[in-house]
Amino acid sequence: MNARAGRFAARTVRVKAPGKVNVSLDVGPLRPDGYHSVASVYLAVSLYEEVAATSTETPGITVSISPDSTLDLDGVDIPLDGNNLAYKAAAIMADVSEHATGVHLEITKRVPVAGGMGGGSADAAATLLACDALWNSGLSREELAHLAAELGADVPFSLLGGTAVGLGLGDELSPALAKAQTDWVLVAADYGLSTPEVFRTLDRLRDAEGLVAAEPAGVDPKILQALRSGDAEALSRVLVNDLQRASIELAPDLRSTLGMGESLGAIAGIVSGSGPTVALLAHSPTAAESLAEDLLHHGLTAWAVHGPVPGARIISDTLL
Ligand code: ATP
């Protein structure tokens, strides 16, 4: 910027983006390209990541983790370089934006890291939206969704939010008009699971049993019906996650977390995505709150949440 144009004016755009629970997750066989086709119902829940993107006079992308993060991040591996999904999202946006500047991304982590809730994906979705606003890129939601899919299968959903059916790698999304609220308690583990390793474990378990999985045909309409009516009892009967047995194989304590949740009053429980976060279904917001309290008393980290909630959205835009 030249002297006549005045001092560089930094601006901060802050965006929040939700984590997700897979209410159902059917996983097909290993494909020749190394991926698996899935059929899943995604539910965006009220546990949010936040990204504050600040324009900088110095070119380039920097990343930091906010001290306001509510997770215990001691010993947790979050890359701050080009391997961070938020960094990758900013780099992709810089490529397509005429007026890109340098940017600093400060991430407030609330979604468990490597927890199966798409926390890194939420950071990427939030960063896409923040940089789009910061650099006046003017991309449509479709264009942003396209970039999101390049970053990872779960990124488009964090942008979209709500309830959606995901096919293909999970990134071919159809929004589902299921707006009734369901209440959940999320139980975090103090370790993470690698998503690729959980998929590999599922393949190994299936091979050992001589089981050939079918290509997922679609999702059970009963799941969408239950989500449309907010009928938690009906939903509890159709929750399904093909990855759950693989997550439990790698982390057997998940079985006792699920058992404890149910013995303390959850209607049903399911491992979220590749885990190890467990999602427990509750009858009401108050039932979720008291279940979370009980779990806390048993020494577990638990949060009462609800879904569906909207996808990534701007919460402030400030000239500094
Ligand atoms: P998914 O459910 O989409 O498979 P996840 O929620 O299980 O993902 P993430 O928290 O997104 O897992 O992160 C998985 C790994 O990715 C982490 O262990 C970390 O090394 C790396 N990573 C890259 N970017 C981020 C980020 N912004 N936040 C957290 N981890 C990140």
Side-chain angles (χ1 to χ4, degrees):
M1 180 166 287
N2 65 34
R4 236 197 256 160
R7 222 163 46 83
F8 176 84
R11 178 177 161 205
T12 298
V13 177
R14 184 176 284 275
V15 174
K16 70 176 190 176
K20 55 85 187 166
V21 167
N22 297 85
V23 175
S24 78
L25 179 55
D26 291 346
V27 180
L30 178 65
R31 306 190 318 199
D33 64 2
Y35 290 100
H36 297 77
S37 301
V38 302
S40 185
V41 178
Y42 287 89
L43 179 71
V45 294
S46 56
L47 191 64
Y48 299 95
E49 294 283 278
E50 248 175 66
V51 174
T54 303
S55 51
T56 59
E57 208 166 357
T58 324
I61 301 165
T62 52
V63 179
S64 67
I65 304 298
S66 165
D68 295 340
S69 298
T70 49
L71 302 174
D72 178 5
L73 294 172
D74 265 5
V76 174
D77 161 45
I78 303 177
L80 298 179
D81 58 10
N83 290 316
N84 192 295
L85 271 172
Y87 184 112
K88 289 184 185 174
I92 259 192
M93 279 304 297
D95 276 350
V96 300
S97 302
E98 247 180 80
H99 307 293
T101 57
V103 66
H104 177 70
L105 306 168
E106 189 188 49
I107 307 175
T108 306
K109 300 282 320 167
R110 298 199 187 95
V111 174
V113 177
M117 289 192 61
S121 301
D123 297 339
T127 303
L128 286 177
L129 199 59
C131 290
D132 177 62
L134 200 61
W135 298 330
N136 299 314
S137 314
L139 298 192
S140 65
R141 277 272 167 174
E142 284 74 37
E143 287 166 318
L144 286 174
H146 192 77
L147 297 180
E150 284 179 30
L151 290 161
D154 287 341
V155 185
F157 179 68
S158 189
L159 209 49
L160 181 70
T163 312
V165 174
L167 301 176
L169 297 178
D171 56 341
E172 293 165 22
L173 292 176
S174 316
L177 293 172
K179 294 210 164 57
Q181 177 172 318
T182 45
D183 298 286
W184 302 82
V185 174
L186 302 172
V187 189
D190 54 9
Y191 54 87
L193 284 177
S194 142
T195 305
E197 195 184 348
V198 174
F199 274 95
R200 277 196 299 273
T201 303
L202 177 64
D203 294 336
R204 184 168 53 75
L205 291 173
R206 284 173 167 174
D207 278 353
E209 290 162 1
L211 216 150
V212 182
E215 282 297 330
V219 305
D220 181 351
K222 287 201 194 97
I223 299 170
L224 295 173
Q225 259 164 36
L227 285 170
R228 260 195 298 274
S229 57
D231 184 341
E233 282 292 346
L235 186 60
S236 74
R237 292 191 287 272
V238 285
L239 293 176
V240 54
N241 178 1
D242 283 353
L243 288 179
Q244 177 159 315
R245 53 195 295 243
S247 312
I248 291 177
E249 172 81 8
L250 292 167
D253 62 293
L254 291 178
R255 208 187 291 281
S256 44
T257 306
L258 287 161
M260 185 186 292
E262 286 177 26
S263 71
L264 291 173
I267 314 173
I270 193 170
V271 169
S272 173
S274 52
T277 307
V278 163
L280 302 169
L281 185 57
H283 276 291
S284 64
T286 39
E289 288 291 348
S290 76
L291 176 56
E293 288 266 311
D294 289 349
L295 288 160
L296 287 177
H297 287 136
H298 282 80
L300 295 174
T301 304
W303 305 282
V305 300
H306 62 271
V309 297
R313 61 196 155 141
I314 295 175
I315 46 179
S316 68
D317 185 343
T318 323
L319 270 177
L320 303 176

